Every structure is written in C-alpha cells, then in structure tokens.
Amino acid sequence: MSNSPRTGPRTGVTVRDPQAAVPGTWRIVAPFGVSFLGDGLSTVALPLLAFQASRAPFAVGLVAFCRSVPWAFFAPFAGVLADYWDRRRMLVTASALRCLLLLAVAAALAAGGLGLGALVVVAVLLGVCEVGYDTAAQTVLPSLVPADRLGSANARLSAVETLSSHLAGPALAGLLAALTLGRLTVGTAAVYAVALLLLSRLRSPRTPPPENPRVLAGIREGFGFLWSHRPLRTLTWSTALGATAYTGWFAQFTLYAVSPGPMGLSSRAFGVVLAVSAVGSLGAALIVPRLQRAVPTRFVLVLSSVLVVVGLLLPVAGRAPAFATAGLSVYGAAVVLWNVASVTYRQQEVPAHLLGRVTAAYRTVAWGAAPLGALAGGALGQFLGLNTCLITLAALPLLQLPALFRFPRLAAR
C-alpha cells in the first residue's frame, strides 16, 4: 500500500493512510520545541520592554492587550488558510516574520530606545504571527500521527512546551535581561530563526484547496460547526474565561514580582521563578495520557479549573518567591491538563477538512476575550492596587465550574 496521503475528491481533505509511515518523534517535536523556546523568551521580553517604556501598570496591560487582540479579528482568516493552504508553509512564514520583527526591535533599542507607541505596533504584529502559527500547529498534528496516538502526541508536545516555553525560555530570558534587553531581543530572534530552519525540513501531507474556495463561507462553516456542537461550545467559553483571567493576571504579576514591586525580585530571579515553576507543567504532561484513560474528560476539566484558581491565589498569599513558585507550578499543571484534554477532544470530534476553521473559531472566541483581561487587569492594578487585581482575576475561573459539573457528554473517549 502506498505511503502517500489520500485526498478527498471535492473537499481537499488530506487523510493519513493508517499504514503510512509516521515521522520520527524528534522530527515532529524539535521544530515546535524551538518555537516554544522563542515564545518563552518573548513572554518575558514584552512586559519588561513595556515596563522600560512606561512605568505605569496600564502601559504593561496595554501591550499585553495588543499582543492578544489579533485573536479576535485575524484567527478566522488563519483558520481558512490552515484548511486551504499548506500548514507547514504557514508555520515557516510566521516564524520568519517573528524573527524579523524582533530584529527590528533590537535595532531600535540599539539606536536609542523604543517608545510605547512602537512597542504597541510590534505587539499587534507579533500577535498576528502567533495566531497564524498556533492555528497551523494545532491542525497539522493529526496529519503527522495516527488518530489513536493523538492524546499521547499532544501530551508529549505539552511536555516539550513546558521545558522550552516555561522552563528554559524564562530562565534564559532572565539571564539575558540581566545583561540588556537588547540581547534578550536578539536572542529571541535567533531562536525563531532556528525554528524556521527546522520547520522548513518538516514534511506533512499537502492539502489541495477545495474547488471554488470562499473565504467568508468557510469562516461561517467553522463557526457554525462550533456553535452546533455543545461540548465544544462549553469548552470554548470556559477557555475564554481562563484566558481572560490569566492574561490580565500575568501582566500585573510582573509588576508585583519584579522590583520595585512587593515581591522585590530582580529580572534574573523572576526568570528563575518562572523556570522552576514549570516543574508542575512537566509533571502534568507526563501523567495526563493515563489520567485521560482512567477518568472522564469532565473530571479532568473540573480538576484543572480548581487548580487554576489555587495556583493564581498562592503567589498573593505570601510575598516570598516560594509562594510564587508553588502557585505557578500548580497553575502550569492545571493548564496542561486542560489543554491536552480539550485539544485532543477537538481533534477527534472535528472532521479533518474543517479542523483549521473550527480551531480558529474556537480560539477566536477563547483568545479573543483575553485582551479584555489585559485591559481590566491594567485598570484594576492602576486604581485598586495589585493585590485586589490579582485576587479578583484569580477567582474568575470558578464561574465555569457549574457548566462543567452538569455536562454529562464530556466523557472519556
């Protein structure tokens, strides 16, 4: 039997032959792992750049808002691209653009500084690249591994993301930021350049476009499927609530943790706290495949929601770095549990030819709400103080528990 993918006659759907050879795990993991490292660096770099440009908490929240707002308007088009275009090419293009943007930021810093207005523009463009990259990344995986291995593959990628984005990335960012923000920016650009080279070698089955593709009709089809599927609809608004809370929380937590904030950490110590706290995420990534097989998905999602609240409240309970490390460890574990369970469920439930558009619709709603959290966090931090801001945002995920408890269709598959 041929190892080439089979393509449907009208939809342009690429279907992996069950007997086809599966690429080695390292060939799949390595490009994404390097990209995750770049994400970890940029997650620390942007708040620090915003803090340097303007010491006001609202400025930090504004930059976080601009980084995440493209999910609200660009994600539907990214979903159409993921279904109608080459997903690997989307990954390569997004990585190249992120590299160029960060090199431009480094050049501006070397020339004398980067104003808040320019940083806002950079944050929006980085957000657009992130939307395209993440949409393609989540939809390309089912074409690389068999369906019965999706859960394990998602868990392994979560483990790699934890090591790269939450462990190595923040630690390296802290070390580079202790030197200069310019070196941190150049280092981030270099990491994205390496990811670009690795992604260019990744081979996935090509998906020919459908006959007479219509962008707006394709977008409507993705949103229509999401709205008609009750379990996915519940996961969507629940993810939106969590993303809204954490986006605002983390931007303000940077001010809380880094000197002259109440916790009083240096940039390097802040990076170390974030890195050490990734242990929780790594542990969850290792156990979640077994947990999914042992208990209903509903239980995993409820457990994750409770752990999110606990994790975000712990750093406010005490100003010692140990509280921040413990809290972020719990939070990281909760996010991995939620992501692996929800992403695997979506990949299994959505037809292959719709996966890009439904994923984009899902994330448009889920991540499109996140900018509201950034603005709300900035306003709460500015007018009510950091403690009130962090506690309020940490408690928001409690609102999703009733829906998860009473929704019986979210059972293990």
Side-chain angles (χ1 to χ4, degrees):
M1 184 177 291
S2 171
N3 286 339
S4 61
R6 295 179 282 110
T7 304
R10 292 184 58 82
T11 62
V13 181
T14 301
V15 182
R16 170 167 289 280
D17 189 324
Q19 302 299 321
V22 178
T25 302
W26 69 268
R27 291 180 58 192
I28 300 173
V29 169
F32 294 107
V34 176
S35 295
F36 290 145
L37 179 63
D39 294 342
L41 290 167
S42 63
T43 297
V44 176
L46 275 183
L48 292 177
L49 287 168
F51 188 64
Q52 176 179 274
S54 175
R55 300 282 172 168
F58 187 78
V60 178
L62 177 63
V63 170
F65 168 84
C66 293
R67 172 73 177 270
S68 55
V69 76
W71 283 107
F73 66 85
F74 181 64
F77 299 96
V80 171
L81 281 176
D83 281 343
Y84 293 174
W85 198 36
D86 186 340
R87 291 165 182 170
R88 183 193 63 86
R89 193 173 298 174
M90 282 184 67
L91 296 170
V92 169
T93 302
S95 297
L97 291 175
R98 288 195 283 195
C99 177
L100 293 174
L101 279 170
L102 289 165
L103 287 176
V105 170
L109 291 174
L114 188 70
L116 182 60
L119 187 58
V120 162
V121 173
V122 169
V124 171
L125 294 177
L126 283 174
V128 169
C129 294
E130 178 181 297
V131 171
Y133 183 93
D134 286 2
T135 301
Q138 285 205 354
T139 55
V140 77
L141 188 60
S143 69
L144 297 175
V145 299
D148 61 351
R149 290 171 51 188
L150 270 179
S152 296
N154 282 318
R156 285 195 294 270
L157 284 178
S158 292
V160 171
E161 180 178 10
T162 296
L163 289 171
S164 299
S165 181
H166 302 295
L167 186 61
L172 181 59
L175 293 174
L176 293 174
L179 300 175
T180 65
L181 285 179
R183 293 188 182 185
L184 171 57
T185 308
V186 171
T188 308
V191 169
Y192 282 130
V194 174
L196 166 64
L197 294 176
L198 293 175
L199 287 166
S200 65
R201 299 173 62 86
L202 186 66
R203 293 292 177 262
S204 64
R206 292 182 179 276
T207 305
E211 298 175 5
N212 303 318
R214 298 178 181 177
V215 174
L216 294 182
I219 292 174
R220 285 196 300 270
E221 191 175 5
F223 275 95
F225 184 94
L226 181 65
W227 179 256
S228 66
H229 197 291
R230 187 177 176 184
L232 288 178
R233 197 165 69 235
T234 297
L235 290 177
T236 302
W237 77 259
S238 297
T239 304
L241 189 62
T244 300
Y246 183 72
T247 300
W249 187 94
F250 185 79
Q252 299 307 309
F253 179 68
T254 303
L255 300 181
Y256 182 88
V258 177
S259 179
M263 196 167 286
L265 300 178
S266 65
S267 296
R268 179 181 296 182
F270 182 56
V272 170
V273 166
L274 294 179
V276 173
S277 66
V279 172
S281 302
L282 180 58
L286 295 176
I287 68 169
V288 71
R290 294 182 180 180
L291 186 62
Q292 279 187 291
R293 291 191 294 267
V295 300
T297 300
R298 178 178 60 183
F299 176 85
V300 178
L301 297 175
V302 169
L303 175 63
S304 171
S305 299
V306 173
L307 290 178
V308 162
V309 176
V310 173
L312 296 185
L313 286 176
L314 273 176
V316 193
R319 296 181 179 180
F323 282 87
T325 303
L328 291 175
S329 295
V330 172
Y331 174 82
V335 169
V336 169
L337 291 174
W338 181 278
N339 285 346
V340 174
S342 61
V343 169
T344 302
Y345 183 85
R346 186 171 68 245
Q347 290 170 341
Q348 292 175 334
E349 287 291 307
V350 180
H353 70 285
L354 278 172
L355 186 56
R357 283 166 285 169
V358 174
T359 295
Y362 179 98
R363 304 192 80 178
T364 296
V365 178
W367 293 105
L372 300 177
L375 289 181
L380 287 172
Q382 186 78 40
F383 297 109
L384 299 180
L386 290 175
N387 277 46
T388 300
C389 168
L390 295 175
I391 293 171
T392 301
L393 293 173
L396 280 181
L398 292 175
L399 299 176
Q400 68 200 34
L401 288 178
L404 295 178
F405 269 121
R406 67 172 183 261
F407 201 69
R409 288 183 59 191
L410 287 177
R413 294 177 55 82

